[in-house]
């Protein structure tokens, strides 16, 4: 018998991971309106933007304005990505609940994405984590290219564990393991999680699957089997890292919620409101969303 949890936490990353990868910049008021719709859909966590360099990710240059204009739902943690102290200072000028630091298990993706070697990144993130915690914020740590790098190919699991250990030592509250370019297969996830859980006693691990090759839901199932109950996803299946060649859509939230609800696993998310919010961003971007749920919606 498949062992399933009663409940799963879904962390919505669409306003950040989704919109950072769109060639078309979404007007700030549409972002605010979209996030407000998401806030009504039953999530407990929304990553609303990032405080990175506006030249690197121009799509999210309005993070501050978004943060100060969205209607806060007290039951929701509103989080943003920060790469360094400059980003943290900007984030702390808003009342962000949580900040997310990020780095890659692969040297070349780390360099392309944040312009530093892995060794150079550690002290930068350590200071961010310390300062953020001192300011009373929780901190999430992302490790990217866990299952493969667009520049280096396969990444040894020891390297993923090493980077994760450094992040845990900094004091992060949650570790999110990213399949940045959507190459992971279920057997690989099974093997990697076996090793990671054996070597890290830390329990607060989330999985962040991109669905580039259609394997994200299968990878979720394997992760559930390992006791993982937190998943990142993006409404409509939007998303990707512009500094990871070949990266595309995150696992679509509505497909994930649909699968979980069909299996009797609760998420707290209202599927109807989710489809409404997906339709809104589909109209704003003026392109059909790739999720299965939205394909059915369009055929009605
Ligand atoms: P850099 O050029 O090396 O920065 O970029 P620097 O520290 O050398 O500073 C250069 C200039 O940038 C200075 O200005 C700084 O003040 C300014 P100047 O003195 O020349 O006028 N600067 C900033 N300005 C605004 N905000 C900041 C900031 N920092 C420095 N935060 C940097 C380094 C990290 C800033 C850059 O590489 C960057 O912004 N990268 C972001 C890339 C990114 O956002 N990628 C996507 C997110 S990661 C992802 O998608 C993966 C994930 O989803 C998980 C998965 O899927 O695996 C999380
Ligand atoms: Mg991502």
């Amino acid at each position: 018998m498949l062992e399933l949890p009663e409940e799963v936490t879904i962390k919505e990353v669409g306003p950040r991971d989704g919109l950072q990868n769109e060639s078309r910049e979404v007007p700030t008021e549409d972002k605010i309106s979209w996030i407000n719709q998401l806030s009504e859909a039953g999530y407990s966590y929304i990553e609303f933007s990032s405080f990175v360099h506006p030249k690197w990710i121009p799509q999210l240059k309005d993070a501050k304005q978004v943060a100060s204009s969205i209607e806060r739902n007290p039951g929701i943690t509103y989080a943003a990505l920060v790469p360094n102290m400059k980003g943290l200072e900007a984030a702390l000028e808003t009342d962000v609940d949580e900040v997310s630091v990020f780095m890659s298990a692969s040297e070349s993706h780390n360099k392309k994405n944040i312009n530093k070697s892995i060794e150079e990144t550690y002290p930068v993130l350590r200071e961010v984590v310390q300062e953020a915690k001192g300011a009373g914020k929780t901190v999430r740590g992302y490790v990217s290219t866990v299952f493969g790098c667009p520049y280096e190919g396969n990444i040894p699991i020891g390297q993923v564990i090493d980077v994760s250990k450094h992040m845990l030592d900094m004091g992060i509250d949650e570790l999110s393991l990213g399949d940045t370019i959507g190459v992971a297969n279920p057997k690989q996830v099974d093997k990697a999680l076996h090793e990671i859980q054996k070597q890290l006693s830390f329990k607060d691990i989330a999985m962040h699957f991109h669905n580039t090759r259609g394997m994200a839901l299968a990878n979720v199932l394997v992760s559930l089997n390992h006791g993982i109950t937190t998943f990142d996803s993006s409404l409509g299946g939007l998303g990707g890292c512009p500094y990871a060649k070949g990266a595309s859509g995150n696992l679509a939230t509505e497909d994930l919620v649909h699968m979980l609800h069909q299996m009797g696993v609760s998420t707290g998310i209202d599927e109807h409101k989710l489809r409404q919010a997906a339709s809104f961003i589909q109209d704003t971007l003026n392109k059909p969303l790739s999720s299965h749920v939205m394909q059915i919606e369009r055929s009605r």
Side-chain angles (χ1 to χ4, degrees):
M1 276 274 281
L2 186 60
E3 293 262 354
L4 292 169
E6 278 179 19
E7 203 180 333
V8 153
T9 300
I10 295 185
K11 302 205 163 178
E12 176 60 47
V13 297
R16 193 277 304 170
D17 205 334
L19 298 188
Q20 78 181 11
N21 203 38
E22 288 300 313
S23 50
R24 188 180 154 173
E25 281 183 40
V26 174
T28 307
E29 59 271 24
D30 287 338
K31 288 180 186 170
I32 294 163
S33 176
W34 187 40
I35 295 167
N36 287 344
Q37 290 174 42
L38 296 173
S39 291
E40 293 292 310
Y43 289 98
S44 57
Y45 191 102
I46 300 174
E47 194 176 72
F48 65 88
S49 194
S50 67
F51 292 89
V52 297
H53 197 301
K55 277 199 192 131
W56 286 64
I57 306 281
Q59 296 90 331
L60 302 181
K61 61 178 184 281
D62 54 2
K64 219 175 206 173
Q65 216 180 324
V66 169
S68 59
S69 309
I70 52 176
E71 286 159 28
R72 300 293 177 105
N73 179 330
I76 300 178
T77 299
Y78 292 91
L81 234 59
V82 298
N84 53 19
M85 281 304 294
K86 177 132 186 160
L88 179 67
E89 279 154 21
L92 292 180
E93 283 168 26
T94 72
D95 60 347
V96 63
D97 298 315
E98 176 165 292
V99 297
S100 302
V101 293
F102 58 104
M103 65 182 294
S104 186
S106 112
E107 198 62 70
S108 19
H109 178 253
N110 203 63
K111 182 80 184 163
K112 284 226 190 308
N113 197 37
I114 51 175
N115 204 22
K116 282 188 179 51
S117 69
I118 288 178
E119 277 305 319
E120 286 165 346
T121 306
Y122 290 141
V124 175
L125 298 193
R126 183 173 290 278
E127 188 183 2
V128 171
V129 176
Q130 268 168 6
E131 292 294 320
K133 300 211 90 166
K137 309 296 175 186
T138 50
V139 182
R140 162 175 245 230
Y142 279 106
V143 180
S144 290
T145 67
V146 167
F147 301 98
C149 165
Y151 312 103
E152 294 176 31
N154 189 43
I155 300 296
I157 195 66
Q159 215 164 301
V160 172
I161 291 170
D162 190 47
V163 171
S164 303
K165 279 184 175 163
H166 274 88
M167 279 193 154
L168 293 177
D169 187 58
M170 293 173 198
I172 58 167
D173 299 284
E174 184 182 55
L175 179 68
S176 176
L177 300 174
D179 182 17
T180 317
I181 52 168
V183 285
N185 67 64
K187 190 170 177 187
Q188 188 187 5
V189 173
D190 184 43
K191 217 168 148 210
L193 277 175
H194 177 77
E195 207 50 44
I196 289 165
Q197 290 176 323
K198 197 168 81 182
Q199 295 205 36
L200 304 178
S201 51
F202 191 72
K203 294 275 172 277
D204 294 319
I205 295 178
M207 299 306 287
H208 178 106
F209 292 117
H210 283 252
N211 197 34
T212 320
R213 291 163 182 80
M215 291 191 278
L217 280 179
N219 292 333
V220 166
L221 205 55
V222 170
S223 309
L224 287 168
N225 211 33
H226 279 267
I228 303 281
T229 55
T230 302
F231 296 92
D232 302 349
S233 62
S234 169
L235 196 58
L238 298 169
C241 174
Y243 297 98
K245 210 169 106 234
S248 70
N250 284 71
L251 167 57
T253 307
E254 59 273 39
D255 289 349
L256 174 60
V257 169
H258 177 77
M259 180 180 89
L260 291 170
H261 288 185
Q262 288 293 308
M263 299 194 300
V265 178
S266 72
T267 64
I269 296 175
D270 179 321
E271 291 188 62
H272 177 65
K273 288 184 177 164
L274 210 52
R275 287 195 299 276
Q276 283 182 326
S279 295
F280 174 84
I281 199 67
Q282 178 168 260
D283 293 345
T284 307
L285 293 169
N286 196 23
K287 70 167 196 188
L289 296 178
S290 63
S291 69
H292 292 285
V293 166
M294 288 308 286
Q295 285 177 40
I296 296 166
E297 193 72 3
R298 284 195 300 277
S299 70
R300 286 210 165 116

